[in-house]
Amino acid sequence: MKKALLILVTVAIAGTSFADITAPPGAKYRRFGKLGRGLANIIYGWTEVPMQWTRSNTHDGSSEAAYGLTWGAYKTVVRVAWGLYDVVTFPFPTYKGGYKAPFKNKETLDAQNGYADFPPEIGFQGGSFSNRFSGF
């Protein structure tokens, strides 16, 4: 009898509860989001080199390949530096009282010079838009 009553109460409570699976607008900019962004930029920041080389080779021709390598190396250094900054300061809000990336995301306007929250993907594009845009 106790077991049946316990099951009935559990089903009644579970049946009347509702959960919202959507996150609040700023949920991707929290402490551990900042830590994850920093670790991703440190570990995968090197992907800027082949990405910029490919981009300059495709758009400007093979004569600009050295420029793409140089620009990719520069962007790698900047990305790794921001990654170290994010990892060291992840417990503290740093940008306007939040955990959003301190660099301005202008990748949608200027793909060559802009910095996204995460490094570019090479090869298979997963299509995951969890943190790939700044609509905050």
Side-chain angles (χ1 to χ4, degrees):
M1 182 68 182
K2 283 185 180 180
K3 193 173 190 181
L5 184 61
L6 181 63
I7 291 173
L8 183 64
V9 169
T10 304
V11 169
I13 291 173
T16 59
S17 64
F18 295 98
D20 185 10
I21 61 170
T22 60
K28 60 186 170 187
Y29 298 115
R30 300 259 190 244
R31 282 188 180 106
F32 292 108
K34 185 177 180 182
L35 177 64
R37 180 179 64 228
L39 290 174
N41 284 330
I42 291 170
I43 296 169
Y44 297 110
W46 62 269
T47 59
E48 287 286 355
V49 174
M51 194 64 142
Q52 296 304 321
W53 177 76
T54 304
R55 188 173 286 155
S56 67
N57 206 11
T58 302
H59 295 296
D60 301 325
S62 60
S63 62
E64 293 291 321
Y67 169 75
L69 287 173
T70 307
W71 184 245
Y74 171 75
K75 286 185 78 168
T76 297
V77 169
V78 171
R79 188 170 289 283
V80 169
W82 278 120
L84 289 171
Y85 174 78
D86 279 345
V87 167
V88 170
T89 62
F90 87 93
F92 314 108
T94 54
Y95 181 73
K96 294 184 179 179
Y99 296 93
K100 190 174 178 182
F103 46 86
K104 186 172 181 161
N105 184 359
K106 56 182 183 169
E107 187 178 19
T108 55
L109 303 174
D110 187 7
Q112 181 73 13
N113 300 318
Y115 291 93
D117 286 347
F118 289 93
E121 295 178 3
I122 294 180
F124 177 72
Q125 297 291 318
S128 173
F129 297 107
S130 61
N131 284 336
R132 298 249 177 229
F133 58 91
S134 295
F136 183 70

